[in-house]
Amino acid sequence: MDLLHIGGDAMVDTGEVIAIVSRETAMRSRDTRRAIDAAIGSGRIRSVSDAPEKSYVLLERDGAFSVWSSPIAAETLLKRAAGGMAEQLADANR
């Protein structure tokens, strides 16, 4: 299990991540905005800090969909996730 720090004290399993999107992208994409709005409406969105959100992390955990808002830029989260997976692949090839 690779963990991804998404801000505050929150970490998520990268295996549960469906998508990481910037706030701007989410607001431009009708489908993504609908998914986030549905999560907000059903109480399935979590904020990891009081800072303004810069990105959303969409997760599927045990068949349930949830959204985490993060004060960390989507590009930074993607780099963190890719770095963790690269380390795991390197360990597997040793």
Side-chain angles (χ1 to χ4, degrees):
M1 168 174 36
D2 270 341
L3 295 176
L4 172 63
H5 176 252
I6 61 170
D9 292 333
M11 298 186 80
V12 297
D13 181 353
T14 57
E16 298 173 337
V17 175
I18 298 169
I20 298 172
V21 294
S22 71
R23 183 179 182 286
E24 292 79 26
T25 299
M27 294 304 110
R28 283 194 314 255
S29 168
R30 182 177 30 166
D31 292 335
T32 304
R33 191 173 59 242
R34 281 185 192 164
I36 291 169
D37 288 344
I40 291 169
S42 64
R44 293 178 291 151
I45 190 162
R46 293 180 154 180
S47 180
V48 299
S49 84
D50 292 334
E53 67 234 3
K54 292 183 181 177
S55 62
Y56 296 103
V57 180
L58 288 70
L59 302 172
E60 183 176 2
R61 182 177 290 158
D62 299 326
F65 174 75
S66 63
V67 177
W68 292 68
S69 66
S70 172
I72 300 172
E75 295 81 12
T76 301
L77 293 175
L78 289 167
K79 286 178 187 176
R80 288 180 183 181
M85 293 186 331
E87 288 174 21
Q88 184 179 7
L89 290 172
D91 289 343
N93 290 326
R94 288 186 189 155

